[in-house]
Amino acid sequence: MQNSFTGLQIAGAFPATADKALQLYADAQYASPYAMSVFVALREKQLPFTLQTVDLDAAANLAPAYAELSLTARVPTLLHGTLALSESSAINEYLDEVFAGPRLYPQDPVQRARARQVQAWLRSDLMPIREERNTQVLFYGAKKAPLTRAAQAAASRLFRFAESLLAPGASCLFDAWSIADTDLALMLNRLALHGDPVPEALLRYAQAQWQRPAVQEWVALQRPPLAD
């Protein structure tokens, strides 16, 4: 199988550490919520990097060269010097620990633990929402069938979870923005951008988070047409 990647340079204000250029491997459709999370993290940290694409539809992630690089044969994968790191939460935490610049996670350890909880839960639960409102809704404007009862129940759990963490009138979950805000807003926008009902306060929160410049950069990336 041919294993070829395309890439583009993303500039930033803070240079990578000594001669260790950053490369982010994302899916060719720029539809992975986890690749988006790392892309936003890199932009929020103001780090220059090269964005490489991996054609998941052609199973390029399973080709030996990429699978050996990633270990998990998934996107995203971040290459930094001799380190190749996959899994978005691990990548984001690494970026926050290694590089200067704006923080991705709260300074307060309690809030930081809560942000990690938010990310872990969003990545491991709510499967009916992820299946019935996949990211084609977010990045291709796809229209899907009405939510099943299971997805409606998952949405109710999502709303209850978010409302328990978001203070009235707050624009972010904690004292300042964190990468957990981007991840939570993406999950809410699976519903909101499709036109499914979302509580007003959560709708405002998700809309505001979606307008962050780093998020809009990802949204504006040129995507190939969806395969038939």
Side-chain angles (χ1 to χ4, degrees):
M1 177 185 301
Q2 185 177 4
N3 185 13
S4 61
F5 310 115
T6 60
L8 57 104
Q9 297 288 332
I10 307 290
F14 289 84
T17 56
D19 65 21
K20 291 184 178 180
L22 291 165
Q23 295 183 58
L24 172 63
Y25 290 85
D27 60 302
Q29 292 180 334
Y30 301 124
S32 165
Y34 314 116
M36 172 180 158
S37 182
V38 176
F39 179 96
V40 170
L42 286 161
R43 296 304 286 141
E44 293 284 350
K45 294 291 280 186
Q46 303 176 33
L47 295 168
F49 62 99
T50 300
L51 180 60
Q52 308 282 351
T53 60
V54 182
D55 189 350
L56 303 185
D57 289 341
N61 56 305
L62 301 180
Y66 184 78
E68 291 171 11
L69 177 75
S70 170
L71 296 183
T72 59
R74 304 206 298 183
V75 296
T77 292
L78 182 77
L79 188 61
H80 182 217
T82 59
L83 173 67
L85 184 64
S86 58
E87 303 305 312
S88 57
S89 294
I91 296 170
N92 289 343
E93 291 182 29
Y94 174 77
L95 291 172
D96 219 23
E97 292 173 358
V98 170
F99 293 98
R103 292 192 59 86
L104 301 175
Y105 290 90
Q107 182 72 42
D108 176 76
V110 173
Q111 291 188 355
R112 186 163 63 251
R114 187 70 73 191
R116 288 169 171 163
Q117 178 191 11
V118 170
Q119 290 187 299
W121 184 66
L122 292 173
R123 285 158 171 73
S124 61
D125 204 342
L126 307 173
M127 184 58 73
I129 298 176
R130 288 189 274 159
E131 290 178 342
E132 297 181 30
R133 296 293 181 265
N134 63 27
T135 54
Q136 292 177 5
V137 168
L138 297 168
F139 306 121
Y140 284 90
K143 293 301 180 184
K144 305 292 183 177
L147 294 172
T148 63
R149 187 170 299 178
Q152 291 174 19
S156 294
R157 290 192 294 114
L158 171 63
F159 300 155
R160 183 172 63 251
F161 178 89
E163 288 171 338
S164 70
L165 294 178
L166 192 64
S171 60
C172 54
L173 291 170
F174 308 110
D175 292 340
W177 175 87
S178 77
I179 193 62
D181 285 300
T182 295
D183 292 346
L184 179 58
L186 185 145
M187 184 63 75
L188 290 167
N189 274 325
R190 290 175 184 265
L191 301 166
L193 293 179
H194 190 267
D196 299 304
V198 174
E200 184 62 31
L202 297 182
L203 180 61
R204 290 195 301 269
Y205 162 80
Q207 289 173 336
Q209 289 295 331
W210 208 245
Q211 292 306 311
R212 287 186 74 86
V215 173
Q216 283 298 300
E217 280 189 59
W218 177 267
V219 171
L221 289 172
Q222 187 68 38
R223 293 175 171 81
L226 286 175
D228 294 334

